[in-house]
Amino acid sequence: IVTTIITRRTQTNTAILGAHVHSSDRMAVNMVNAAKGLFLSKGFDYPRSSKMAWASIFGMIQQQAWMLSFIAVAQLFGILFIVIIPLILLMRRPHHHEESIVIH
């Protein structure tokens, strides 16, 4: 269940976060340009450094989406814990019946 929740939430969060990163967003363009400069300084050509820069931004988006998914799972477990505690307090103690053990 946890794996399914994390996978689905990661996909959803990636789509939501990725929708805000595009070539007309000033902050995204600044990050991509900085990453391009880094890759160019490492000796990559311009087209490859551009692709690698956008890929690195996408990697950051996926990391953030993954972290948001884990936070959602932790919140779910917290809510389950809060709901289960009163149920534990309502449970009755079991009655132990002493039965004689017959050894033959």
Side-chain angles (χ1 to χ4, degrees):
I1 293 172
V2 170
T3 304
T4 302
I5 292 171
I6 288 174
T7 301
R8 289 183 181 176
R9 292 292 301 234
T10 300
Q11 289 173 345
T12 302
N13 291 332
T14 300
I16 292 169
L17 294 173
H20 298 287
V21 178
H22 45 78
S23 60
S24 62
D25 180 26
R26 174 180 270 170
M27 184 178 275
V29 170
N30 289 340
M31 290 179 69
V32 168
N33 287 336
K36 271 190 226 177
L38 176 70
F39 292 125
L40 287 170
S41 72
K42 299 293 181 185
F44 293 101
D45 61 350
Y46 188 81
R48 183 160 171 91
S49 65
S50 180
K51 287 179 185 179
M52 291 173 67
W54 280 106
S56 67
I57 300 298
F58 181 70
M60 287 186 234
I61 291 170
Q62 284 187 315
Q63 285 178 338
Q64 294 297 316
W66 187 68
M67 184 52 114
L68 290 171
S69 301
F70 269 94
I71 290 170
V73 169
Q75 288 173 341
L76 175 66
F77 280 130
I79 290 169
L80 287 174
F81 183 72
I82 290 170
V83 168
I84 288 175
I85 286 184
L87 296 176
I88 292 172
L89 297 175
L90 293 174
M91 291 175 61
R92 295 184 186 179
R93 291 183 177 247
H95 296 289
H96 297 288
H97 299 289
E98 291 187 28
E99 297 178 9
S100 61
I101 300 175
V102 178
I103 299 177
H104 296 283

